[in-house]
Amino acid sequence: DAKTTQPTSMDCAEGRAANLPCNHSTISGNEYVYWYRQIHSQGPQYIIHGLKNNETNEMASLIITEDRKSSTLILPHATLRDTAVYYCIVRRPYNQGGKLIFGQGTELSVKP
Amino acid sequence: DGGITQSPKYLFRKEGQNVTLSCEQNLNHDAMYWYRQDPGQGLRLIYYSQIVNDFQKGDIAEGYSVSREKKESFPLTVTSAQKNPTAFYLCASSARRAGEGGNNEQFFGPGTRLTVL
C-alpha cells in the first residue's frame, strides 16, 4: 500500500490560506489522492480528490506535483470552523478493492 | 433527508457480551464500510461490503462479524473475542463499488462510541 506522511499539527490564522502538505512517494500510477477531514467526534467529511491534475472545488484546492510524490491541500480562506484533523489518503488500486487507508492526519488549528 | 444513520450514539456493555451496532443508509449506495477509531489515531477498516450478501475482511476483522442482507443495512457485531472493543465505530457508504475507477467518495455516519466496562 502506498503510505502517506503528514505533519502532526499545524496552525493557521483565520482568514489566511492553510496549506497542508502530504508526501506519498510510493504512490502507484493508478492510485488517487483523497483528502478528508474530521471534526472532533464526528464522521470524516470528503473534501477533494485527484489523480494527476490540480483540482478545485467549493471547499479547497488540491495541488499534486508532477511526479505525484507529494500534494498540498489548500484552504484559501481558513475559518475557525476549519479546525479539524485532515487526512491525506491514497486509494488502493482496482485489483485491491480501492479501499481508503487512513493515516494519522494533520491536526489543523485555525486561530483568531 | 438522505444520509447514513448509526445508532445508538453511545453504547455501554459489560465485558464478555456481544453487541451489535446499527448502520443504515438511504443513499442507494452499493458499498458499505465499518471503521474503528481509537483516541488520537486514524481510522482502521474492519469489514466492507460491495454488494448485498457479500462482504470482505478489512485490516482488523478479528473479533467482529457483519451481515449484508439488505442494500441499506450493514450491522456490525462486536463479539466477546474482540480483546479491546472500547472505541469509536464509524460506518460509511459509497456509490461505486470499492474496486471501480473514478470517485470513491465515502459518506460517513455520525459514529457510535462503544465502551466496554
Side-chain angles (χ1 to χ4, degrees):
Chain A
D1 301 327
K3 303 292 185 186
T4 62
T5 304
Q6 300 176 253
T8 303
S9 62
M10 293 181 62
D11 290 340
C12 178
E14 187 179 19
R16 304 297 293 268
N19 297 304
L20 290 83
C22 179
N23 287 323
H24 31 78
S25 58
T26 61
I27 192 170
S28 299
N30 59 350
E31 289 182 308
Y32 287 78
V33 178
Y34 279 77
W35 284 84
Y36 281 74
R37 73 179 183 184
Q38 186 177 24
I39 296 171
H40 182 64
S41 293
Q42 297 182 20
Q45 176 191 22
Y46 165 82
I47 302 173
I48 199 168
H49 78 286
L51 183 62
K52 296 180 181 178
N53 300 322
N54 298 337
E55 303 288 344
T56 296
N57 63 20
E58 64 278 5
M59 291 182 67
S61 295
L62 174 61
I63 308 298
I64 302 174
T65 58
E66 191 169 344
D67 63 8
R68 302 208 328 122
K69 293 185 177 182
S70 65
S71 60
T72 301
L73 179 74
I74 301 172
L75 307 178
H77 305 287
T79 70
L80 299 179
R81 287 177 293 183
D82 291 322
T83 292
V85 177
Y86 287 77
Y87 294 100
C88 170
I89 302 160
V90 172
R91 195 192 77 177
R92 287 179 175 178
Y94 177 89
N95 61 357
Q96 295 181 31
K99 299 185 290 292
L100 299 175
I101 308 297
F102 287 79
Q104 303 276 23
T106 295
E107 187 167 5
L108 175 68
S109 296
V110 181
K111 301 182 182 299
Chain B
D1 279 338
I4 301 176
T5 57
Q6 292 184 243
S7 60
K9 189 172 179 64
Y10 297 95
L11 189 57
F12 297 88
R13 279 294 182 269
K14 292 182 179 179
E15 191 173 351
Q17 290 182 333
N18 290 356
V19 58
T20 298
L21 280 59
S22 166
C23 178
E24 304 279 332
Q25 55 98 0
N26 60 4
L27 301 168
N28 200 33
H29 285 171
D30 290 314
M32 297 187 73
Y33 313 81
W34 272 106
Y35 294 89
R36 169 187 172 134
Q37 187 173 35
D38 293 286
Q41 304 294 315
L43 282 67
R44 293 184 290 168
L45 184 65
I46 304 172
Y47 268 98
Y48 65 102
S49 168
Q50 298 183 25
I51 194 170
V52 174
N53 292 322
D54 184 62
F55 48 83
Q56 305 295 329
K57 292 182 178 179
D59 300 316
I60 54 165
E62 185 176 354
Y64 299 98
S65 66
V66 293
S67 63
R68 187 83 187 277
E69 297 177 0
K70 298 185 297 183
K71 188 175 185 178
E72 59 270 23
S73 179
F74 192 40
L76 173 75
T77 296
V78 184
T79 75
S80 57
Q82 169 52 234
K83 299 301 181 189
N84 298 294
T86 295
F88 187 43
Y89 290 87
L90 287 155
C91 178
S93 70
S94 65
R96 291 178 180 271
R97 297 182 186 181
E100 294 179 2
N103 187 5
N104 189 42
E105 176 185 352
Q106 292 186 12
F107 294 81
F108 284 82
T112 292
R113 193 167 297 279
L114 173 65
T115 301
V116 175
L117 306 172

